[in-house]
Coordinates of all heavy atoms in Angstrom, one line a residue:
S159 N -7.1 -6.5 -1.2 CA -6.6 -6.8 -2.5 C -6.9 -5.6 -3.4 O -7.8 -4.8 -3.1 CB -7.2 -8.0 -3.1 OG -8.5 -7.8 -3.5
T160 N -6.1 -5.4 -4.5 CA -6.4 -4.4 -5.4 C -7.8 -4.5 -5.9 O -8.6 -3.5 -6.1 CB -5.4 -4.4 -6.5 OG1 -4.1 -4.1 -6.0 CG2 -5.7 -3.2 -7.5
T161 N -8.2 -5.8 -6.2 CA -9.6 -6.0 -6.7 C -10.6 -5.5 -5.8 O -11.6 -4.9 -6.2 CB -9.8 -7.5 -7.0 OG1 -8.8 -8.0 -7.9 CG2 -11.1 -7.8 -7.6
D162 N -10.4 -5.8 -4.5 CA -11.4 -5.3 -3.5 C -11.4 -3.8 -3.4 O -12.5 -3.2 -3.3 CB -11.0 -5.9 -2.1 CG -11.9 -5.5 -1.0 OD1 -13.1 -5.7 -1.1 OD2 -11.4 -4.9 0.0
V163 N -10.3 -3.1 -3.4 CA -10.2 -1.7 -3.3 C -10.9 -1.0 -4.5 O -11.7 -0.1 -4.4 CB -8.8 -1.2 -3.2 CG1 -8.8 0.4 -3.2 CG2 -8.1 -1.7 -1.9
V164 N -10.7 -1.6 -5.7 CA -11.4 -1.1 -6.9 C -12.9 -1.3 -6.7 O -13.7 -0.4 -7.1 CB -10.9 -1.8 -8.2 CG1 -11.8 -1.5 -9.4 CG2 -9.5 -1.4 -8.5
G165 N -13.3 -2.5 -6.2 CA -14.7 -2.7 -5.9 C -15.3 -1.7 -5.0 O -16.5 -1.3 -5.2
R166 N -14.6 -1.3 -4.0 CA -15.1 -0.3 -3.0 C -15.4 1.0 -3.7 O -16.3 1.7 -3.4 CB -14.1 -0.1 -1.9 CG -13.8 -1.3 -1.0 CD -13.0 -0.9 0.2 NE -12.3 -2.0 0.8 CZ -11.5 -1.9 1.9 NH1 -11.4 -0.7 2.4 NH2 -10.9 -2.9 2.4
M167 N -14.4 1.4 -4.6 CA -14.6 2.6 -5.3 C -15.8 2.6 -6.3 O -16.4 3.6 -6.5 CB -13.3 3.0 -6.1 CG -12.1 3.3 -5.1 SD -10.7 3.8 -6.1 CE -9.6 4.4 -4.7
L168 N -16.0 1.4 -6.9 CA -17.2 1.3 -7.8 C -18.4 1.4 -7.0 O -19.5 1.9 -7.4 CB -17.1 0.0 -8.5 CG -16.0 -0.1 -9.6 CD1 -15.9 -1.5 -10.1 CD2 -16.3 0.8 -10.8
L169 N -18.4 0.9 -5.7 CA -19.6 0.8 -4.8 C -19.8 2.2 -4.1 O -20.8 2.8 -4.3 CB -19.4 -0.3 -3.8 CG -20.6 -0.8 -3.0 CD1 -21.6 -1.4 -4.0 CD2 -20.2 -1.8 -2.0
L170 N -18.7 2.6 -3.4 CA -18.7 3.9 -2.7 C -20.0 4.1 -1.9 O -20.7 5.1 -2.1 CB -18.4 5.0 -3.6 CG -17.8 6.3 -2.9 CD1 -16.5 5.9 -2.2 CD2 -17.5 7.4 -3.9
T171 N -20.4 3.2 -1.0 CA -21.5 3.3 -0.2 C -21.1 3.4 1.3 O -19.9 3.3 1.6 CB -22.5 2.1 -0.3 OG1 -21.8 1.0 0.2 CG2 -22.9 1.9 -1.8
K172 N -22.0 3.6 2.2 CA -21.7 3.7 3.6 C -21.1 2.3 4.1 O -20.5 2.3 5.2 CB -22.9 4.1 4.4 CG -23.3 5.5 4.2 CD -24.4 5.9 5.1 CE -24.9 7.3 4.8 NZ -23.9 8.3 5.1
T173 N -21.4 1.2 3.4 CA -20.9 -0.1 3.9 C -19.8 -0.6 3.0 O -19.6 -1.9 3.0 CB -22.1 -1.1 4.0 OG1 -22.7 -1.2 2.7 CG2 -23.1 -0.6 5.0
H174 N -19.1 0.2 2.2 CA -18.1 -0.4 1.3 C -16.9 -1.0 2.0 O -16.1 -1.6 1.4 CB -17.7 0.7 0.3 CG -17.0 1.9 0.9 ND1 -17.6 3.1 0.8 CD2 -15.9 2.1 1.6 CE1 -16.8 4.0 1.4 NE2 -15.8 3.4 1.9
H175 N -16.7 -0.7 3.3 CA -15.6 -1.3 4.0 C -15.9 -2.8 4.3 O -15.0 -3.6 4.6 CB -15.4 -0.7 5.4 CG -15.0 0.7 5.4 ND1 -13.9 1.1 4.6 CD2 -15.4 1.8 6.0 CE1 -13.7 2.4 4.8 NE2 -14.6 2.9 5.6
K176 N -17.2 -3.2 4.1 CA -17.5 -4.6 4.4 C -18.0 -5.3 3.2 O -18.7 -4.8 2.4 CB -18.6 -4.6 5.5 CG -18.2 -4.0 6.8 CD -19.4 -4.0 7.8 CE -19.0 -3.3 9.1 NZ -20.1 -3.3 10.0
R177 N -17.6 -6.6 3.1 CA -18.1 -7.4 2.0 C -19.3 -8.2 2.4 O -19.2 -9.1 3.2 CB -17.0 -8.4 1.5 CG -15.8 -7.8 0.9 CD -16.1 -7.1 -0.4 NE -16.6 -8.0 -1.4 CZ -15.8 -8.5 -2.3 NH1 -14.5 -8.2 -2.4 NH2 -16.2 -9.3 -3.2
E178 N -20.5 -7.8 2.0 CA -21.8 -8.4 2.5 C -22.4 -9.3 1.4 O -23.5 -9.8 1.6 CB -22.7 -7.3 2.9 CG -22.1 -6.5 4.1 CD -23.0 -5.3 4.5 OE1 -23.9 -4.9 3.7 OE2 -22.9 -4.8 5.6
D179 N -21.8 -9.4 0.3 CA -22.3 -10.3 -0.8 C -22.3 -11.7 -0.4 O -21.2 -12.3 -0.1 CB -21.5 -10.1 -2.1 CG -22.1 -10.7 -3.3 OD1 -23.0 -11.6 -3.1 OD2 -21.7 -10.4 -4.4
P180 N -23.4 -12.4 -0.3 CA -23.4 -13.8 0.2 C -22.9 -14.8 -0.8 O -22.7 -16.0 -0.5 CB -24.9 -14.0 0.5 CG -25.6 -13.1 -0.5 CD -24.8 -11.9 -0.6
T181 N -22.7 -14.4 -2.1 CA -22.3 -15.4 -3.1 C -20.8 -15.7 -2.9 O -20.1 -15.0 -2.2 CB -22.5 -14.8 -4.5 OG1 -21.7 -13.6 -4.6 CG2 -23.9 -14.4 -4.8
A182 N -20.4 -16.8 -3.5 CA -19.0 -17.3 -3.3 C -18.0 -16.3 -3.9 O -18.3 -15.7 -5.0 CB -18.9 -18.7 -4.0
H183 N -16.9 -16.2 -3.3 CA -15.8 -15.3 -3.7 C -14.5 -16.1 -3.7 O -14.4 -17.0 -2.9 CB -15.7 -14.1 -2.9 CG -16.8 -13.1 -3.1 ND1 -16.9 -12.3 -4.2 CD2 -17.8 -12.7 -2.3 CE1 -17.9 -11.5 -4.1 NE2 -18.5 -11.7 -3.0
S184 N -13.6 -15.7 -4.5 CA -12.3 -16.2 -4.5 C -11.7 -15.9 -3.1 O -11.9 -14.9 -2.5 CB -11.4 -15.5 -5.5 OG -10.0 -15.6 -5.2
P185 N -11.0 -16.9 -2.5 CA -10.4 -16.7 -1.1 C -9.3 -15.7 -1.2 O -8.8 -15.3 -0.1 CB -10.0 -18.1 -0.7 CG -9.7 -18.8 -2.0 CD -10.7 -18.3 -3.0
W186 N -8.8 -15.3 -2.4 CA -7.6 -14.5 -2.5 C -8.0 -13.0 -2.8 O -7.5 -12.1 -2.2 CB -6.7 -15.0 -3.5 CG -6.2 -16.4 -3.1 CD1 -5.4 -16.7 -2.1 CD2 -6.5 -17.6 -3.8 NE1 -5.2 -18.0 -2.1 CE2 -5.9 -18.6 -3.1 CE3 -7.3 -17.9 -4.9 CZ2 -6.0 -20.0 -3.4 CZ3 -7.4 -19.3 -5.2 CH2 -6.8 -20.3 -4.5
T187 N -9.0 -12.8 -3.6 CA -9.4 -11.4 -3.9 C -10.8 -11.1 -3.4 O -11.2 -9.9 -3.3 CB -9.3 -11.1 -5.4 OG1 -10.2 -12.0 -6.1 CG2 -7.9 -11.3 -5.9
G188 N -11.7 -12.1 -3.2 CA -13.0 -11.8 -2.6 C -12.8 -11.8 -1.1 O -13.1 -12.8 -0.5
V189 N -12.4 -10.7 -0.6 CA -11.9 -10.8 0.8 C -12.9 -10.2 1.8 O -13.9 -9.5 1.4 CB -10.6 -9.9 0.9 CG1 -9.5 -10.5 0.1 CG2 -10.8 -8.5 0.5
S190 N -12.7 -10.5 3.0 CA -13.6 -10.0 4.1 C -12.9 -8.7 4.7 O -11.8 -8.3 4.3 CB -13.7 -11.0 5.2 OG -12.4 -11.4 5.7
Q191 N -13.6 -8.1 5.6 CA -13.1 -6.9 6.2 C -11.7 -7.2 6.9 O -11.6 -8.1 7.6 CB -14.1 -6.4 7.3 CG -13.7 -5.0 7.8 CD -14.7 -4.5 8.8 OE1 -15.6 -5.2 9.3 NE2 -14.7 -3.2 9.1
F192 N -10.8 -6.2 6.7 CA -9.5 -6.4 7.4 C -9.6 -6.2 8.9 O -10.3 -5.3 9.4 CB -8.6 -5.3 6.8 CG -7.3 -5.1 7.6 CD1 -6.3 -6.1 7.5 CD2 -7.0 -4.0 8.4 CE1 -5.1 -6.1 8.1 CE2 -5.8 -3.9 9.0 CZ -4.9 -5.0 8.9
L193 N -8.9 -7.1 9.6 CA -8.9 -7.0 11.1 C -7.6 -6.6 11.5 O -6.6 -7.3 11.3 CB -9.3 -8.4 11.6 CG -10.7 -9.0 11.3 CD1 -10.8 -10.4 11.8 CD2 -11.8 -8.1 11.8
A194 N -7.5 -5.4 12.2 CA -6.3 -4.9 12.6 C -5.9 -5.6 13.9 O -6.7 -5.9 14.8 CB -6.4 -3.4 12.9
T195 N -4.6 -5.7 14.1 CA -4.0 -6.3 15.3 C -2.8 -5.4 15.8 O -2.2 -4.8 15.0 CB -3.5 -7.7 15.2 OG1 -2.4 -7.8 14.2 CG2 -4.7 -8.6 14.6
T196 N -2.5 -5.4 17.1 CA -1.4 -4.7 17.6 C -0.1 -5.3 17.0 O 0.9 -4.5 16.7 CB -1.3 -4.8 19.1 OG1 -1.4 -6.1 19.5 CG2 -2.5 -4.0 19.7
Q197 N -0.1 -6.6 16.8 CA 1.1 -7.2 16.2 C 1.4 -6.7 14.8 O 2.6 -6.4 14.5 CB 0.9 -8.7 16.1 CG 2.1 -9.5 15.6 CD 3.4 -9.4 16.4 OE1 3.2 -9.2 17.7 NE2 4.5 -9.5 15.9
K198 N 0.4 -6.5 14.0 CA 0.6 -6.0 12.6 C 1.2 -4.5 12.7 O 2.1 -4.2 11.9 CB -0.7 -6.0 11.9 CG -0.5 -5.7 10.4 CD 0.3 -6.7 9.7 CE -0.3 -8.1 9.7 NZ 0.6 -9.2 9.2
I199 N 0.6 -3.7 13.6 CA 1.1 -2.3 13.7 C 2.6 -2.3 14.2 O 3.4 -1.5 13.7 CB 0.2 -1.5 14.7 CG1 -1.2 -1.4 14.1 CG2 0.8 -0.2 15.0 CD1 -2.2 -0.7 15.0
I200 N 2.9 -3.2 15.1 CA 4.3 -3.3 15.6 C 5.2 -3.7 14.4 O 6.3 -3.1 14.3 CB 4.4 -4.3 16.7 CG1 3.7 -3.8 18.0 CG2 5.9 -4.7 17.0 CD1 3.6 -4.8 19.1
Q201 N 4.8 -4.6 13.6 CA 5.6 -5.1 12.5 C 5.9 -3.9 11.5 O 6.9 -3.9 10.9 CB 4.9 -6.2 11.8 CG 4.9 -7.5 12.6 CD 4.0 -8.6 11.9 OE1 3.1 -8.3 11.1 NE2 4.2 -9.8 12.3
F202 N 4.9 -3.1 11.3 CA 5.1 -1.9 10.4 C 5.8 -0.7 11.0 O 6.3 0.1 10.3 CB 3.7 -1.5 9.9 CG 3.2 -2.3 8.6 CD1 3.1 -3.7 8.7 CD2 2.9 -1.6 7.5 CE1 2.7 -4.4 7.6 CE2 2.5 -2.3 6.3 CZ 2.4 -3.7 6.4
S203 N 5.8 -0.6 12.3 CA 6.3 0.5 13.0 C 7.9 0.5 12.9 O 8.5 -0.6 13.0 CB 5.9 0.6 14.4 OG 4.5 0.7 14.5
S204 N 8.4 1.7 12.9 CA 9.9 1.8 12.9 C 10.5 1.5 14.3 O 11.6 1.0 14.5 CB 10.3 3.2 12.4 OG 10.0 4.2 13.4
G205 N 9.7 1.9 15.3 CA 10.1 1.7 16.7 C 11.2 2.8 17.1 O 11.7 2.8 18.2
K206 N 11.4 3.7 16.2 CA 12.4 4.7 16.4 C 11.9 5.9 17.1 O 10.8 6.4 16.7 CB 13.0 5.1 15.0 CG 14.1 6.2 15.1 CD 14.5 6.7 13.7 CE 15.5 7.9 13.8 NZ 15.8 8.4 12.5
Q207 N 12.6 6.3 18.1 CA 12.2 7.5 18.8 C 13.1 8.7 18.3 O 14.2 8.5 17.8 CB 12.5 7.4 20.3 CG 11.6 6.3 21.0 CD 10.2 6.7 21.0 OE1 9.8 7.8 21.2 NE2 9.3 5.7 20.8
P208 N 12.6 9.9 18.4 CA 13.4 11.1 18.0 C 14.6 11.2 18.9 O 14.6 11.0 20.1 CB 12.5 12.3 18.1 CG 11.4 11.8 19.0 CD 11.2 10.4 18.9
N209 N 15.8 11.5 18.3 CA 17.0 11.8 19.0 C 17.0 13.2 19.6 O 16.2 14.1 19.1 CB 18.2 11.7 18.1 CG 18.4 10.3 17.5 OD1 18.2 9.3 18.2 ND2 18.6 10.2 16.2
P210 N 17.7 13.4 20.7 CA 17.8 14.7 21.3 C 18.2 15.7 20.2 O 19.2 15.5 19.5 CB 18.9 14.6 22.4 CG 18.8 13.1 22.7 CD 18.5 12.4 21.4
G211 N 17.5 16.8 20.1 CA 17.8 17.9 19.1 C 17.2 17.7 17.8 O 17.3 18.6 16.9
D212 N 16.5 16.5 17.6 CA 15.8 16.3 16.3 C 14.7 17.4 16.1 O 14.0 17.7 17.1 CB 15.2 14.9 16.2 CG 16.2 13.9 15.7 OD1 17.4 14.3 15.4 OD2 15.9 12.7 15.7

Side-chain angles (χ1 to χ4, degrees):
S159 72
T160 299
T161 304
D162 178 58
V163 176
V164 170
R166 295 188 202 183
M167 291 184 171
L168 289 170
L169 196 62
L170 204 59
T171 66
K172 289 184 183 299
T173 58
H174 60 247
H175 293 313
K176 301 178 180 180
R177 293 296 296 264
E178 298 176 339
D179 189 343
T181 61
H183 286 288
S184 158
W186 300 291
T187 58
V189 297
S190 59
Q191 186 178 18
F192 171 69
L193 299 176
T195 64
T196 54
Q197 181 64 28
K198 189 64 65 187
I199 293 174
I200 290 169
Q201 290 171 342
F202 273 59
S203 299
S204 68
K206 178 186 175 184
Q207 296 293 322
N209 297 316
D212 276 355

